[in-house]
Amino acid sequence: MNTSTDQDLPSDVELARRADRQPIEDVVAPLGLEPADLDQYGDHVAKLSSATTRRLTDRAASSDTRYVLVTGMTPTPRGEGKTVTNVGLAQAFDRLGKTAVAAIREPSLGPVFGVKGGAAGGGHSQVLPMKEINLHFTGDLHAVTAAHNLIAATLDNHVHQGNALEIDVDRIVWPRALDVNDRALREAVVGLGGTTNGPPREDAFVLTPASELMAVLCLASDREDLESRIGRIVVATDADGAPVTVDDLGVTGAVVVLLEDAFRPNVVQTTEGTPAFVHGGPFANIAHGTNTIVADRAAGALADYVVTEAGFGADLGAEKFFDIVAPAADITPAAAVLVVTVRALKYHGKDLWPVEFDALEDPDVEAVRGGFANLDRHVGVLQQYGVPVVVAINRFPSDTDAEVDAILEHCRDDLEVRAAESTVHRDGGEGGIALAKAVDAAVEGHEGTFAPLYDRDAPVSEKIETVATEVYGADGVTFTADARKDLERLERVGLETAPVCLSKTPYSFSDDASKNGAPTGWELTVRELRPAAGAGFVVALTGDVLTMPGLPAEPAALEMGLADDGSVSGLF
Amino acid sequence: MNTSTDQDLPSDVELARRADRQPIEDVVAPLGLEPADLDQYGDHVAKLSSATTRRLTDRAASSDTRYVLVTGMTPTPRGEGKTVTNVGLAQAFDRLGKTAVAAIREPSLGPVFGVKGGAAGGGHSQVLPMKEINLHFTGDLHAVTAAHNLIAATLDNHVHQGNALEIDVDRIVWPRALDVNDRALREAVVGLGGTTNGPPREDAFVLTPASELMAVLCLASDREDLESRIGRIVVATDADGAPVTVDDLGVTGAVVVLLEDAFRPNVVQTTEGTPAFVHGGPFANIAHGTNTIVADRAAGALADYVVTEAGFGADLGAEKFFDIVAPAADITPAAAVLVVTVRALKYHGKDLWPVEFDALEDPDVEAVRGGFANLDRHVGVLQQYGVPVVVAINRFPSDTDAEVDAILEHCRDDLEVRAAESTVHRDGGEGGIALAKAVDAAVEGHEGTFAPLYDRDAPVSEKIETVATEVYGADGVTFTADARKDLERLERVGLETAPVCLSKTPYSFSDDASKNGAPTGWELTVRELRPAAGAGFVVALTGDVLTMPGLPAEPAALEMGLADDGSVSGLF
């Protein structure tokens, strides 16, 4: 994501190269971790050892640990800088003498080689080593890819070898997965070439972050839970319409074996040497879009502050963190930071679809004010969960003081929430001190208790209605005929009261990307429900969802190369 | 591969677990390597650093370094124990006070989860840590998979975005790759679903070890050579019939970036703490079937002995090592060890196709003698290359002294080559001392110089004829009409005098797997030639070649699971 455009700052890759990196064992020493707690991958990357992972995640998070969720207003397609704010805020807490961990998602190779731009913060608020994190890192995504495709191969092999489970080949719902942007694999026919290869059937490939295994890896609380979730994954339907699971295929154990290392948090550092757990990276529409629960819990057992992030805007990301992740992780969020930008506010104050970025650079306080409706609704959404909200203005070089002041004033006078300017991209942790202090003050002055939005025993349709009306601002929900049939089938997989994971455009509160601001007078249309029994939620699709991106006309890969000194050109 | 069946030995995985493992920096200290020469992956796995890889491979191998190639007679489908002999022989040299490195291939996940049995030696002659080596290890195969599929995605994207290179979609020869045994992916149609995903076309998936990128990784002598080979890979033909390369697609640099770490040798240890470089794993039929040249060269710069291995029998593996690998690596082999077993000799002395293993366990000296024709021809093949040959009898518990003595006697009296019994599976390096001493004696008593079999400037058809007649024992070669057309096209890709890589059944000297012993009076039929411009050889197909295995009715994956102590059950 493009998090800033400071003209006078060197590139992210150049800053990453210049940064002083400490040995990883020194980075985590302030957290009380010993070298024996780490399995190192070179000098600057480690995984927590198996024993340490278990010890830390078994231990309940200290009641003093403050989990700060970084979320955002409805973004433009360039993103508004949640990750850079996340990393910078952790650095700011560190500067204030607290122990802090930045917990974020790990990048997928698909987007790295597709669209230029890293996924590891930027400027003076990045995670390092940037090259490794953005490439193979510790192999977690490769492990998910391998495990995913082992299930697929076993499934087709089962059918080929006699189909004792009576799997209906027209109702296989387990796709194949690759971590590359490849539109040619979205729809395919496999099993061609005669009876030695067949039977032929329609198939699809998804990007690895869209695999249900990735959601499972991120939501499992310990190894037993991981194994149990994997076993429950539904891969097909049999001749009687009953679900066929990974347990039925008999490869749950093999999948656990393949995911053993991937299940342990990756430990790196920020540009300022603050510890960062970069672990797991599920899609934020058909999945929940946050780093692993294991990383959140391990960090919570070690640090005063855990700063973590959810995908897209608060309507999608924070909602899922609060309603799906926090209950599964047994985590009580202490505060929510809502990242806003002058750019995005202007967009929401104008009629600019598709987004015209050039039109967003001219100083225009009134346009900024026009976007407050979007900001206000996000603040209201977050407050419903009982957490204090702090607005972080991620400042860009082209922003004027008048524009920033207008936002600060609106938050103070109209919303009565704390707000702070953040310049962490340019200034590192120092640029996040005001934000960190605002978070502390907000937590200390807050009355009320965090609670998920919906009753955990409510039926799925009711949960969807709650999210649609209370979070998205819809008047109600329309279920298509297909979706109504899907609702009826949920009982068969035991998900009739599961949490819901709504897949919706991130570019509007509504299900229409062109409606900016805070649209009213609309109904959410749910077209299809997909049970994700391993993840433990029901995915509700409200529009076309792309689980396998394509490459653009000029992929980022075309610019890449390796210099003699080992540095990568064209990565960012 | 099943290398032995000692009933009284614990399982390979149990022995691997019990073995005392030293810190990897201590393992390589006798080679003169410092901790700074390594990038560690935990305590027992490392890669040579980039700088050290370059330093060691730039340096010409010491003229004192003895490269010992371990090859074998025509195997049964269970394998005759080349890897265990390789590892055990390196341990034996170590015990004799020499520095030695075992250089072997790294396993592919496909077979690991398909057919029970590891690929890392066995008993007291294994490489460790067994679990890691047999699973993701350092991610080399995952990197090859990712790089392979990036090329494929870029290719289809190029066509989709307007096809400026005028690629003929019916003549795309670059498949996709996955490291899983999955017959359903052998033949597929991709690009379905309309113009946003298309155009549709026929496609195929190969197992990652069958990717030309794997051959390239294993044959490249340094990073510049790697880049140059990648760029030359032909992925398709354009409207004029001209080759389209990875350079034309513009992703050579990105592929180098993805393969940077995979190009550096992996360093582990054997059960006795002897250093082992386990690096690269290409197919041995459509590719050359040996570990990387970089590993061979780096090991040669460090050790007195480098013990390395080639796939299948000497007709396939040693031929390719001597004619393709050694010239590319600028390595002079010092000796060849030919692994034989009582079991395989009996098989070649009887009419037993398909192989009936039960019938091979009964003591039968005459049946053993019946297999000498196969052994003799392999010895003759190896001697043509000017290297001394030592026969290693990999002894199984069911073998009788009379059977073993018959082989020793035959080698001494009839063949006049040195031979030694090897019990390295049961006894570790101690069981290979006699073999090590025989190798030393053979090298010291040898006159003659190693030379590849064919003239490097000879045309491809002549090279194929040389291998067929001088190595396989054919009367001649028949090229099908298709193959003759392929021959004519080689000039267009600059491979008209390239080395040849013959793909033939490993279970017979001939192209008919059912002909055991040393078949005569037959002609080799070449059906198709595939230029591999990156690998720098021409693949000659003599029969159906399976580049994507399938899973058996009861895949090994079904037995696997992870215990609480982190040990894997069902892996071996």
Side-chain angles (χ1 to χ4, degrees):
Chain A
M1 291 294 143
N2 182 350
T3 50
S4 180
T5 54
D6 292 353
Q7 297 294 336
D8 50 345
L9 267 193
S11 70
D12 287 358
V13 73
E14 182 56 34
L15 285 170
R17 200 180 304 153
R18 287 188 203 167
D20 269 338
R21 288 178 300 178
Q22 303 173 44
I24 193 66
E25 62 266 31
D26 295 347
V27 172
V28 296
L31 300 178
L33 289 176
E34 307 283 333
D37 291 313
L38 304 178
D39 286 337
Q40 290 196 218
Y41 289 62
D43 293 335
H44 304 108
V45 174
K47 275 187 175 282
L48 294 180
S49 74
S50 292
T52 300
T53 301
R54 184 171 282 273
R55 175 170 60 82
L56 295 179
T57 51
D58 275 358
R59 195 198 302 176
S62 155
S63 56
D64 296 335
T65 301
R66 290 183 176 172
Y67 282 95
V68 179
L69 177 71
V70 176
T71 181
M73 65 181 293
T74 303
T76 68
R78 291 196 184 169
E80 308 317 311
K82 286 196 306 292
T83 307
V84 75
T85 304
N86 191 332
V87 171
L89 180 56
Q91 292 181 148
F93 283 125
D94 207 344
R95 283 177 181 242
L96 291 172
K98 311 290 188 178
T99 53
V101 173
I104 63 175
R105 290 171 289 173
E106 53 188 309
S108 149
L109 280 177
V112 166
F113 286 89
V115 185
K116 210 162 174 153
H124 290 287
S125 294
Q126 306 183 34
V127 285
L128 304 174
M130 184 211 220
K131 183 177 83 175
E132 285 75 3
I133 292 171
N134 277 285
L135 293 173
H136 308 292
F137 201 23
T138 57
D140 294 345
L141 273 87
H142 290 318
V144 172
T145 306
H148 184 110
N149 293 320
L150 177 65
I151 296 172
T154 311
L155 195 166
D156 275 311
N157 186 58
H158 179 90
V159 174
H160 176 86
Q161 302 282 359
N163 200 8
L165 292 169
E166 299 189 15
I167 289 167
D168 180 347
V169 285
D170 293 332
R171 292 185 186 272
I172 291 173
V173 294
W174 190 250
R176 283 174 168 86
L178 273 182
D179 198 19
V180 60
N181 287 7
D182 192 345
R183 73 172 62 73
L185 295 178
R186 286 175 186 154
E187 295 185 32
V189 171
V190 301
L192 296 171
T195 50
T196 47
N197 300 347
R201 66 175 184 89
E202 291 180 38
D203 198 8
F205 283 72
V206 299
L207 195 72
T208 301
S211 165
E212 188 179 346
L213 272 186
M214 177 60 89
V216 163
L217 188 80
C218 293
L219 287 170
S221 52
D222 56 30
R223 192 189 286 166
E224 291 71 28
D225 187 32
L226 178 70
E227 182 158 352
S228 155
R229 286 172 180 270
I230 292 167
R232 288 199 299 266
I233 291 173
V234 174
V235 296
T237 303
D238 73 9
D240 296 329
V244 177
T245 65
V246 173
D247 266 350
D248 293 332
L249 292 176
V251 288
T252 303
V255 170
V256 171
V257 166
L258 280 169
L259 294 182
E260 179 190 10
D261 291 337
F263 191 55
R264 297 186 283 127
N266 304 302
V267 183
V268 294
Q269 64 191 288
T270 72
T271 25
E272 296 182 357
T274 301
F277 288 7
V278 180
H279 193 215
F283 264 30
N285 45 32
I286 58 146
H288 59 287
T290 64
N291 57 265
T292 64
I293 280 180
V294 169
D296 280 346
R297 285 175 61 91
L302 295 167
D304 300 328
Y305 289 82
V306 178
V307 187
T308 191
E309 182 194 347
F312 298 135
D315 53 331
L316 285 168
E319 187 277 315
K320 287 168 185 166
F321 184 79
F322 289 150
D323 287 323
I324 298 172
V325 180
D330 197 15
I331 278 174
T332 304
V337 169
L338 184 74
V339 177
V340 305
T341 62
V342 165
R343 176 171 81 185
L345 285 166
K346 282 180 190 163
Y347 163 69
H348 284 287
K350 295 185 173 188
D351 264 339
L352 293 170
W353 185 263
V355 186
E356 292 163 29
F357 283 97
D358 288 348
L360 300 176
E361 292 217 348
D362 304 327
D364 186 345
V365 174
E366 277 318 297
V368 170
R369 289 207 175 97
F372 286 165
N374 185 269
L375 162 60
D376 296 357
R377 191 183 281 178
H378 281 291
V379 169
V381 163
L382 293 168
Q383 286 175 329
Q384 291 182 91
Y385 289 92
V387 293
V389 179
V390 178
V391 173
I393 306 165
N394 180 29
R395 184 154 183 172
F396 281 50
S398 58
D399 299 348
T400 63
D401 287 345
E403 290 170 323
V404 171
D405 288 343
I407 308 170
L408 289 169
E409 194 179 283
H410 174 67
C411 292
R412 187 187 62 223
D413 297 343
D414 303 330
L415 296 175
E416 295 179 0
V417 298
R418 290 171 200 275
E421 187 181 2
S422 169
T423 58
V424 297
H425 184 279
R426 179 191 191 96
D427 303 322
E430 192 61 37
I433 296 285
L435 177 61
K437 288 182 173 170
V439 169
D440 268 347
V443 172
E444 277 147 28
H446 182 70
E447 291 180 12
T449 316
F450 165 77
L453 192 60
Y454 46 64
D455 178 6
R456 65 182 300 162
D457 297 324
V460 160
S461 57
E462 186 182 316
K463 284 172 173 155
I464 292 172
E465 276 158 15
T466 302
V467 173
T469 54
E470 307 299 314
V471 177
Y472 300 166
D475 291 340
V477 179
T478 306
F479 292 90
T480 64
D482 283 348
R484 281 197 301 272
K485 276 187 209 150
D486 291 340
L487 274 173
E488 288 162 19
R489 290 193 200 105
L490 291 177
E491 201 165 349
R492 195 131 193 194
V493 284
L495 292 179
E496 64 276 18
T497 60
V500 292
C501 179
L502 276 81
S503 172
K504 179 184 71 71
T505 175
Y507 301 121
S508 170
F509 264 109
S510 79
D511 55 4
D512 176 349
S514 69
K515 288 187 181 157
N516 61 5
T520 54
W522 62 281
E523 294 230 331
L524 184 77
T525 303
V526 174
R527 304 184 185 191
E528 182 186 344
L529 298 173
R530 290 186 189 165
F537 52 61
V538 173
V539 181
L541 302 179
T542 67
D544 290 338
V545 58
L546 203 61
T547 51
M548 172 55 88
L551 289 171
E554 297 287 329
L558 302 186
E559 304 296 320
M560 284 187 205
L562 193 64
D564 276 346
D565 67 353
S567 65
V568 173
S569 59
L571 191 51
F572 303 103
Chain B
M1 292 295 140
N2 184 350
T3 49
S4 179
T5 53
D6 292 353
Q7 298 293 335
D8 50 346
L9 266 193
S11 71
D12 287 357
V13 72
E14 182 57 34
L15 286 169
R17 199 180 305 154
R18 286 188 204 166
D20 270 338
R21 288 177 301 179
Q22 302 173 44
I24 193 66
E25 62 266 32
D26 294 348
V27 171
V28 295
L31 300 178
L33 289 176
E34 307 284 333
D37 291 314
L38 304 178
D39 286 337
Q40 290 197 219
Y41 290 62
D43 293 334
H44 303 107
V45 175
K47 275 188 175 281
L48 293 181
S49 74
S50 293
T52 301
T53 301
R54 184 170 283 273
R55 175 171 59 84
L56 295 178
T57 51
D58 275 358
R59 196 197 302 176
S62 155
S63 57
D64 296 335
T65 302
R66 290 183 175 172
Y67 282 94
V68 179
L69 177 72
V70 176
T71 182
M73 65 181 292
T74 303
T76 68
R78 291 195 184 170
E80 308 317 313
K82 286 195 307 291
T83 307
V84 75
T85 305
N86 191 332
V87 172
L89 180 56
Q91 293 181 148
F93 283 125
D94 206 344
R95 283 176 181 242
L96 292 172
K98 311 291 187 177
T99 54
V101 172
I104 63 174
R105 290 172 290 172
E106 52 187 311
S108 149
L109 280 176
V112 166
F113 285 88
V115 185
K116 211 164 174 153
H124 290 287
S125 295
Q126 308 182 32
V127 285
L128 304 175
M130 184 212 219
K131 183 177 83 173
E132 285 76 2
I133 292 171
N134 277 286
L135 293 173
H136 308 293
F137 201 23
T138 57
D140 294 345
L141 274 87
H142 290 318
V144 172
T145 306
H148 184 109
N149 293 320
L150 177 65
I151 296 173
T154 311
L155 195 166
D156 275 311
N157 185 59
H158 179 91
V159 174
H160 177 86
Q161 302 281 359
N163 201 7
L165 292 170
E166 298 189 16
I167 290 168
D168 181 347
V169 286
D170 293 332
R171 292 185 187 273
I172 291 172
V173 295
W174 190 250
R176 283 175 168 84
L178 274 181
D179 198 19
V180 60
N181 287 8
D182 192 345
R183 73 171 63 73
L185 295 179
R186 285 175 187 156
E187 295 185 32
V189 171
V190 301
L192 297 172
T195 50
T196 47
N197 300 348
R201 67 176 183 88
E202 291 181 38
D203 199 7
F205 283 72
V206 300
L207 195 71
T208 301
S211 166
E212 187 179 345
L213 272 187
M214 177 60 90
V216 162
L217 187 80
C218 292
L219 287 170
S221 53
D222 56 30
R223 192 188 286 166
E224 291 71 28
D225 188 32
L226 178 70
E227 182 158 352
S228 155
R229 286 172 180 268
I230 291 167
R232 288 199 300 265
I233 291 173
V234 174
V235 296
T237 303
D238 73 10
D240 295 328
V244 177
T245 65
V246 173
D247 266 349
D248 294 332
L249 292 176
V251 288
T252 303
V255 170
V256 172
V257 166
L258 279 169
L259 295 181
E260 179 190 10
D261 290 336
F263 191 55
R264 298 185 282 128
N266 304 302
V267 183
V268 294
Q269 64 192 288
T270 73
T271 25
E272 296 182 356
T274 301
F277 287 7
V278 180
H279 193 215
F283 263 31
N285 44 32
I286 60 145
H288 59 285
T290 64
N291 58 266
T292 65
I293 279 179
V294 169
D296 279 346
R297 287 175 59 92
L302 295 167
D304 300 327
Y305 288 83
V306 178
V307 187
T308 192
E309 183 194 346
F312 297 135
D315 52 332
L316 284 168
E319 188 277 315
K320 288 169 186 166
F321 184 80
F322 290 149
D323 287 324
I324 298 174
V325 180
D330 197 16
I331 278 173
T332 304
V337 169
L338 184 74
V339 176
V340 306
T341 61
V342 165
R343 175 172 82 185
L345 286 164
K346 282 180 190 164
Y347 163 68
H348 284 287
K350 294 186 172 187
D351 264 339
L352 292 170
W353 186 262
V355 186
E356 292 163 28
F357 284 96
D358 288 348
L360 301 176
E361 291 218 347
D362 303 328
D364 186 345
V365 174
E366 277 318 298
V368 170
R369 290 208 174 95
F372 286 164
N374 185 270
L375 161 60
D376 296 357
R377 191 183 280 179
H378 281 291
V379 169
V381 163
L382 292 169
Q383 287 174 331
Q384 291 182 90
Y385 290 91
V387 294
V389 179
V390 179
V391 173
I393 306 164
N394 180 29
R395 183 153 184 174
F396 281 50
S398 58
D399 298 348
T400 63
D401 286 345
E403 290 170 323
V404 171
D405 288 344
I407 307 170
L408 290 169
E409 194 179 283
H410 174 67
C411 291
R412 186 187 63 223
D413 296 345
D414 303 330
L415 295 176
E416 295 180 0
V417 298
R418 291 173 199 274
E421 188 181 2
S422 168
T423 58
V424 296
H425 185 279
R426 180 193 190 95
D427 302 322
E430 193 61 37
I433 295 284
L435 177 61
K437 289 183 173 169
V439 170
D440 268 346
V443 171
E444 277 147 28
H446 181 69
E447 293 179 11
T449 314
F450 165 76
L453 191 60
Y454 45 64
D455 178 7
R456 63 183 302 162
D457 298 323
V460 160
S461 59
E462 186 181 316
K463 284 171 173 155
I464 293 172
E465 275 157 17
T466 302
V467 173
T469 54
E470 306 301 313
V471 177
Y472 301 166
D475 290 341
V477 178
T478 305
F479 291 91
T480 64
D482 283 346
R484 279 196 303 271
K485 276 188 209 148
D486 292 340
L487 274 174
E488 287 162 20
R489 289 193 200 105
L490 291 177
E491 202 164 350
R492 194 130 193 194
V493 284
L495 292 178
E496 65 276 17
T497 61
V500 292
C501 179
L502 277 81
S503 172
K504 178 184 72 71
T505 176
Y507 302 121
S508 170
F509 265 109
S510 79
D511 54 5
D512 176 349
S514 69
K515 288 187 180 156
N516 62 5
T520 53
W522 62 282
E523 293 230 331
L524 184 77
T525 303
V526 173
R527 303 183 185 192
E528 182 186 345
L529 298 174
R530 292 186 189 165
F537 52 61
V538 173
V539 180
L541 302 179
T542 67
D544 291 338
V545 59
L546 204 59
T547 51
M548 173 54 88
L551 289 170
E554 297 287 329
L558 302 186
E559 303 296 320
M560 283 187 205
L562 193 64
D564 277 346
D565 66 353
S567 65
V568 173
S569 59
L571 191 51
F572 303 101

